[in-house]
Tab-separated table of all heavy atoms in Angstrom:
chain	number	residue	atom	x	y	z
A	14	PRO	N	111.981	111.969	116.713
A	14	PRO	CA	112.125	112.843	117.905
A	14	PRO	C	111.923	112.000	119.192
A	14	PRO	O	110.970	111.329	119.351
A	14	PRO	CB	111.085	113.861	117.785
A	14	PRO	CG	110.807	113.968	116.269
A	14	PRO	CD	110.941	112.602	115.793
A	15	GLY	N	112.890	112.154	120.064
A	15	GLY	CA	112.868	111.450	121.335
A	15	GLY	C	113.234	110.046	121.370
A	15	GLY	O	113.184	109.346	122.336
A	16	ASN	N	113.566	109.476	120.164
A	16	ASN	CA	113.901	108.052	120.002
A	16	ASN	C	115.425	107.855	119.695
A	16	ASN	O	116.152	108.772	119.341
A	16	ASN	CB	113.111	107.440	118.858
A	16	ASN	CG	111.610	107.253	119.197
A	16	ASN	OD1	111.230	107.652	120.279
A	16	ASN	ND2	110.922	106.617	118.289
A	17	GLU	N	115.867	106.665	120.007
A	17	GLU	CA	117.206	106.302	119.593
A	17	GLU	C	117.334	106.108	118.094
A	17	GLU	O	116.302	105.942	117.382
A	17	GLU	CB	117.555	104.910	120.308
A	17	GLU	CG	117.550	104.955	121.809
A	17	GLU	CD	118.845	105.443	122.420
A	17	GLU	OE1	119.803	105.846	121.673
A	17	GLU	OE2	118.982	105.510	123.644
A	18	ARG	N	118.495	106.087	117.597
A	18	ARG	CA	118.751	105.757	116.211
A	18	ARG	C	118.310	104.320	115.955
A	18	ARG	O	118.580	103.451	116.794
A	18	ARG	CB	120.189	105.909	115.849
A	18	ARG	CG	120.747	107.361	116.165
A	18	ARG	CD	122.163	107.448	115.563
A	18	ARG	NE	123.133	106.356	115.813
A	18	ARG	CZ	124.282	106.254	115.224
A	18	ARG	NH1	124.646	107.064	114.324
A	18	ARG	NH2	125.089	105.261	115.605
A	19	GLU	N	117.724	104.105	114.821
A	19	GLU	CA	117.284	102.784	114.439
A	19	GLU	C	117.910	102.435	113.021
A	19	GLU	O	117.565	103.062	112.033
A	19	GLU	CB	115.797	102.753	114.333
A	19	GLU	CG	115.198	101.416	113.843
A	19	GLU	CD	113.699	101.409	113.676
A	19	GLU	OE1	113.103	102.459	113.430
A	19	GLU	OE2	113.061	100.295	113.664
A	20	GLY	N	118.706	101.434	113.012
A	20	GLY	CA	119.195	100.951	111.789
A	20	GLY	C	118.131	100.240	110.992
A	20	GLY	O	117.423	99.307	111.545
A	21	ILE	N	117.904	100.547	109.716
A	21	ILE	CA	116.744	100.006	109.001
A	21	ILE	C	117.212	99.224	107.750
A	21	ILE	O	116.463	98.266	107.389
A	21	ILE	CB	115.786	101.102	108.605
A	21	ILE	CG1	116.429	102.229	107.779
A	21	ILE	CG2	115.064	101.637	109.804
A	21	ILE	CD1	115.375	103.244	107.257
A	22	SER	N	118.334	99.484	107.154
A	22	SER	CA	118.680	98.717	105.965
A	22	SER	C	120.208	98.868	105.685
A	22	SER	O	120.761	99.953	106.036
A	22	SER	CB	117.914	99.232	104.746
A	22	SER	OG	118.185	98.413	103.681
A	23	CYS	N	120.737	97.894	104.989
A	23	CYS	CA	122.158	97.922	104.643
A	23	CYS	C	122.388	97.067	103.377
A	23	CYS	O	121.724	96.073	103.193
A	23	CYS	CB	122.942	97.281	105.779
A	23	CYS	SG	124.775	97.328	105.488
A	24	LEU	N	123.233	97.552	102.548
A	24	LEU	CA	123.570	96.887	101.269
A	24	LEU	C	125.128	96.638	101.357
A	24	LEU	O	125.887	97.601	101.339
A	24	LEU	CB	123.234	97.727	100.030
A	24	LEU	CG	123.673	97.195	98.716
A	24	LEU	CD1	123.090	95.816	98.412
A	24	LEU	CD2	123.298	98.163	97.599
A	25	SER	N	125.437	95.363	101.465
A	25	SER	CA	126.855	95.038	101.611
A	25	SER	C	127.478	95.121	100.222
A	25	SER	O	127.071	94.453	99.226
A	25	SER	CB	126.983	93.612	102.105
A	25	SER	OG	128.333	93.184	102.095
A	26	THR	N	128.584	95.857	100.151
A	26	THR	CA	129.267	95.993	98.885
A	26	THR	C	129.996	94.704	98.500
A	26	THR	O	130.024	94.319	97.299
A	26	THR	CB	130.319	97.163	98.871
A	26	THR	OG1	129.631	98.389	99.159
A	26	THR	CG2	131.146	97.258	97.629
A	27	SER	N	130.516	94.000	99.444
A	27	SER	CA	131.327	92.828	99.225
A	27	SER	C	130.494	91.696	98.582
A	27	SER	O	130.950	91.012	97.590
A	27	SER	CB	131.912	92.289	100.456
A	27	SER	OG	130.918	91.850	101.399
A	28	ASP	N	129.224	91.511	98.946
A	28	ASP	CA	128.518	90.368	98.366
A	28	ASP	C	127.167	90.786	97.876
A	28	ASP	O	126.261	89.952	97.652
A	28	ASP	CB	128.428	89.223	99.370
A	28	ASP	CG	127.786	89.600	100.673
A	28	ASP	OD1	127.299	90.762	100.759
A	28	ASP	OD2	127.767	88.841	101.626
A	29	SER	N	126.811	92.077	97.954
A	29	SER	CA	125.528	92.612	97.523
A	29	SER	C	124.375	92.037	98.382
A	29	SER	O	123.197	92.042	97.939
A	29	SER	CB	125.228	92.282	96.083
A	29	SER	OG	126.156	93.009	95.215
A	30	ASN	N	124.690	91.574	99.554
A	30	ASN	CA	123.699	91.143	100.493
A	30	ASN	C	122.903	92.348	100.994
A	30	ASN	O	123.459	93.357	101.349
A	30	ASN	CB	124.311	90.348	101.571
A	30	ASN	CG	123.254	89.669	102.515
A	30	ASN	OD1	122.254	89.188	102.028
A	30	ASN	ND2	123.556	89.703	103.781
A	31	THR	N	121.553	92.163	101.146
A	31	THR	CA	120.789	93.262	101.805
A	31	THR	C	120.201	92.795	103.012
A	31	THR	O	119.860	91.668	103.253
A	31	THR	CB	119.613	93.636	100.761
A	31	THR	OG1	118.817	92.512	100.462
A	31	THR	CG2	120.149	94.224	99.486
A	32	VAL	N	120.082	93.726	103.964
A	32	VAL	CA	119.599	93.510	105.347
A	32	VAL	C	118.558	94.566	105.620
A	32	VAL	O	118.777	95.676	105.337
A	32	VAL	CB	120.773	93.562	106.352
A	32	VAL	CG1	120.175	93.161	107.745
A	32	VAL	CG2	121.872	92.560	105.996
A	33	TYR	N	117.471	94.083	106.280
A	33	TYR	CA	116.380	95.060	106.643
A	33	TYR	C	115.987	94.735	108.066
A	33	TYR	O	115.999	93.595	108.496
A	33	TYR	CB	115.200	94.866	105.757
A	33	TYR	CG	115.419	95.177	104.310
A	33	TYR	CD1	115.695	94.151	103.382
A	33	TYR	CD2	115.340	96.477	103.797
A	33	TYR	CE1	116.000	94.432	102.098
A	33	TYR	CE2	115.587	96.774	102.500
A	33	TYR	CZ	115.883	95.746	101.611
A	33	TYR	OH	116.137	96.018	100.287
A	34	THR	N	115.638	95.782	108.827
A	34	THR	CA	115.014	95.538	110.064
A	34	THR	C	113.600	95.131	109.880
A	34	THR	O	112.918	95.423	108.847
A	34	THR	CB	115.070	96.842	110.970
A	34	THR	OG1	114.730	96.513	112.322
A	34	THR	CG2	114.137	97.933	110.475
A	35	ASP	N	113.036	94.380	110.889
A	35	ASP	CA	111.686	93.846	110.663
A	35	ASP	C	110.601	94.820	110.385
A	35	ASP	O	109.717	94.475	109.503
A	35	ASP	CB	111.268	92.983	111.926
A	35	ASP	CG	112.143	91.683	112.112
A	35	ASP	OD1	112.709	91.295	111.135
A	35	ASP	OD2	112.065	91.150	113.164
A	36	SER	N	110.649	96.008	110.922
A	36	SER	CA	109.544	96.916	110.748
A	36	SER	C	109.483	97.506	109.312
A	36	SER	O	108.398	98.063	109.000
A	36	SER	CB	109.762	98.118	111.719
A	36	SER	OG	110.919	98.805	111.455
A	37	VAL	N	110.459	97.271	108.445
A	37	VAL	CA	110.380	97.800	107.111
A	37	VAL	C	110.491	96.693	106.033
A	37	VAL	O	110.344	96.973	104.834
A	37	VAL	CB	111.507	98.886	106.846
A	37	VAL	CG1	111.421	99.921	107.871
A	37	VAL	CG2	112.848	98.195	106.724
A	38	LYS	N	110.629	95.435	106.479
A	38	LYS	CA	110.702	94.354	105.546
A	38	LYS	C	109.482	94.297	104.689
A	38	LYS	O	108.333	94.389	105.189
A	38	LYS	CB	110.890	93.022	106.299
A	38	LYS	CG	112.350	92.763	106.695
A	38	LYS	CD	112.436	91.394	107.390
A	38	LYS	CE	113.903	91.200	107.895
A	38	LYS	NZ	114.034	89.908	108.615
A	39	GLY	N	109.660	94.133	103.377
A	39	GLY	CA	108.533	93.986	102.452
A	39	GLY	C	107.997	95.351	102.042
A	39	GLY	O	107.134	95.386	101.139
A	40	ARG	N	108.406	96.447	102.661
A	40	ARG	CA	107.953	97.758	102.307
A	40	ARG	C	109.041	98.640	101.755
A	40	ARG	O	108.847	99.499	100.863
A	40	ARG	CB	107.333	98.472	103.490
A	40	ARG	CG	106.207	97.788	104.130
A	40	ARG	CD	105.448	98.656	105.151
A	40	ARG	NE	106.280	98.975	106.309
A	40	ARG	CZ	106.584	100.188	106.705
A	40	ARG	NH1	106.090	101.205	106.031
A	40	ARG	NH2	107.353	100.365	107.750
A	41	PHE	N	110.304	98.456	102.281
A	41	PHE	CA	111.458	99.264	101.824
A	41	PHE	C	112.355	98.406	100.989
A	41	PHE	O	112.556	97.232	101.296
A	41	PHE	CB	112.241	99.836	103.028
A	41	PHE	CG	111.406	100.851	103.837
A	41	PHE	CD1	110.154	101.174	103.585
A	41	PHE	CD2	112.149	101.591	104.782
A	41	PHE	CE1	109.428	102.166	104.339
A	41	PHE	CE2	111.540	102.556	105.543
A	41	PHE	CZ	110.137	102.870	105.334
A	42	THR	N	113.061	99.061	100.033
A	42	THR	CA	113.985	98.352	99.200
A	42	THR	C	115.193	99.258	99.004
A	42	THR	O	115.147	100.414	98.563
A	42	THR	CB	113.373	98.059	97.793
A	42	THR	OG1	112.229	97.278	97.947
A	42	THR	CG2	114.396	97.259	96.976
A	43	ILE	N	116.389	98.614	99.358
A	43	ILE	CA	117.608	99.365	99.187
A	43	ILE	C	118.269	98.959	97.863
A	43	ILE	O	118.239	97.723	97.531
A	43	ILE	CB	118.560	99.156	100.390
A	43	ILE	CG1	119.792	100.036	100.355
A	43	ILE	CG2	119.046	97.646	100.502
A	43	ILE	CD1	120.678	100.051	101.628
A	44	SER	N	118.939	99.866	97.140
A	44	SER	CA	119.556	99.527	95.928
A	44	SER	C	120.636	100.468	95.576
A	44	SER	O	120.817	101.461	96.304
A	44	SER	CB	118.560	99.486	94.788
A	44	SER	OG	118.019	100.839	94.495
A	45	ARG	N	121.384	100.215	94.496
A	45	ARG	CA	122.429	101.160	94.153
A	45	ARG	C	122.518	101.225	92.588
A	45	ARG	O	122.166	100.291	91.941
A	45	ARG	CB	123.773	100.811	94.688
A	45	ARG	CG	124.394	99.535	94.222
A	45	ARG	CD	125.818	99.307	94.639
A	45	ARG	NE	126.315	98.028	94.314
A	45	ARG	CZ	126.527	97.000	95.177
A	45	ARG	NH1	126.318	97.200	96.445
A	45	ARG	NH2	126.970	95.863	94.729
A	46	ASP	N	122.937	102.363	92.136
A	46	ASP	CA	123.267	102.537	90.656
A	46	ASP	C	124.709	102.970	90.640
A	46	ASP	O	125.103	104.062	90.907
A	46	ASP	CB	122.367	103.712	90.125
A	46	ASP	CG	122.528	103.913	88.667
A	46	ASP	OD1	123.617	103.583	88.139
A	46	ASP	OD2	121.545	104.381	88.077
A	47	ASN	N	125.511	101.990	90.251
A	47	ASN	CA	126.985	102.177	90.237
A	47	ASN	C	127.377	103.253	89.299
A	47	ASN	O	128.320	104.073	89.450
A	47	ASN	CB	127.681	100.861	89.862
A	47	ASN	CG	127.641	99.870	91.036
A	47	ASN	OD1	127.513	100.225	92.139
A	47	ASN	ND2	127.644	98.612	90.687
A	48	ALA	N	126.674	103.359	88.138
A	48	ALA	CA	127.003	104.420	87.101
A	48	ALA	C	126.804	105.769	87.670
A	48	ALA	O	127.457	106.719	87.216
A	48	ALA	CB	126.112	104.146	85.855
A	49	LYS	N	125.813	105.956	88.526
A	49	LYS	CA	125.575	107.241	89.087
A	49	LYS	C	126.155	107.442	90.501
A	49	LYS	O	126.003	108.513	91.118
A	49	LYS	CB	124.073	107.446	89.160
A	49	LYS	CG	123.353	107.516	87.871
A	49	LYS	CD	121.862	107.842	88.048
A	49	LYS	CE	121.143	107.891	86.636
A	49	LYS	NZ	119.745	108.167	86.772
A	50	ASN	N	126.885	106.340	90.978
A	50	ASN	CA	127.453	106.422	92.247
A	50	ASN	C	126.415	106.825	93.318
A	50	ASN	O	126.674	107.578	94.258
A	50	ASN	CB	128.595	107.426	92.294
A	50	ASN	CG	129.487	107.279	93.561
A	50	ASN	OD1	129.597	106.224	94.173
A	50	ASN	ND2	130.035	108.469	94.080
A	51	THR	N	125.222	106.295	93.218
A	51	THR	CA	124.149	106.744	94.073
A	51	THR	C	123.454	105.477	94.602
A	51	THR	O	123.314	104.493	93.918
A	51	THR	CB	123.126	107.506	93.325
A	51	THR	OG1	123.714	108.716	92.711
A	51	THR	CG2	121.957	108.003	94.186
A	52	HIS	N	123.061	105.560	95.927
A	52	HIS	CA	122.294	104.497	96.577
A	52	HIS	C	120.952	105.026	96.849
A	52	HIS	O	120.711	106.269	97.015
A	52	HIS	CB	122.974	104.100	97.894
A	52	HIS	CG	124.218	103.332	97.726
A	52	HIS	ND1	125.418	103.929	97.250
A	52	HIS	CD2	124.483	102.024	97.922
A	52	HIS	CE1	126.384	102.974	97.222
A	52	HIS	NE2	125.806	101.839	97.541
A	53	TYR	N	119.985	104.123	96.875
A	53	TYR	CA	118.595	104.526	97.046
A	53	TYR	C	117.876	103.744	98.103
A	53	TYR	O	118.291	102.632	98.447
A	53	TYR	CB	117.781	104.293	95.753
A	53	TYR	CG	118.372	104.989	94.526
A	53	TYR	CD1	119.104	104.345	93.638
A	53	TYR	CD2	118.131	106.341	94.312
A	53	TYR	CE1	119.647	105.008	92.462
A	53	TYR	CE2	118.564	107.024	93.195
A	53	TYR	CZ	119.358	106.349	92.328
A	53	TYR	OH	119.899	107.027	91.210
A	54	LEU	N	116.859	104.389	98.721
A	54	LEU	CA	115.980	103.634	99.557
A	54	LEU	C	114.606	103.869	99.120
A	54	LEU	O	114.032	105.039	99.261
A	54	LEU	CB	116.166	104.028	101.028
A	54	LEU	CG	115.263	103.337	102.042
A	54	LEU	CD1	115.722	101.866	102.161
A	54	LEU	CD2	115.275	103.963	103.412
A	55	GLN	N	113.959	102.909	98.480
A	55	GLN	CA	112.589	103.056	98.023
A	55	GLN	C	111.730	102.657	99.167
A	55	GLN	O	111.816	101.545	99.689
A	55	GLN	CB	112.329	102.107	96.837
A	55	GLN	CG	110.926	102.109	96.330
A	55	GLN	CD	110.505	103.445	95.737
A	55	GLN	OE1	111.273	104.095	94.984
A	55	GLN	NE2	109.293	103.846	95.995
A	56	MET	N	110.770	103.525	99.541
A	56	MET	CA	109.960	103.374	100.659
A	56	MET	C	108.468	103.333	100.188
A	56	MET	O	107.993	104.354	99.702
A	56	MET	CB	110.128	104.439	101.721
A	56	MET	CG	111.597	104.617	102.127
A	56	MET	SD	111.822	105.761	103.575
A	56	MET	CE	111.313	107.298	102.779
């Protein structure tokens, strides 16, 4: 509330590279399950 949008994580489909903003590094993990067509953010 009252804040700008903050990008926190991204999983590149082309090379499976993962990117995190500094405030969540080491705490959040992005992943995907292709069989379920689902992406996850473990926090």
Side-chain angles (χ1 to χ4, degrees):
N16 287 4
E17 299 277 0
R18 301 190 312 169
E19 178 188 22
I21 56 174
S22 184
C23 180
L24 174 60
S25 171
T26 298
S27 61
D28 59 6
S29 297
N30 187 37
T31 56
V32 183
Y33 299 95
T34 194
D35 287 346
S36 63
V37 307
K38 280 181 182 176
R40 300 189 299 122
F41 290 11
T42 304
I43 190 171
S44 63
R45 65 171 175 250
D46 184 331
N47 289 332
K49 296 182 178 180
N50 193 32
T51 302
H52 289 72
Y53 302 100
L54 184 68
Q55 178 67 40
M56 305 186 296

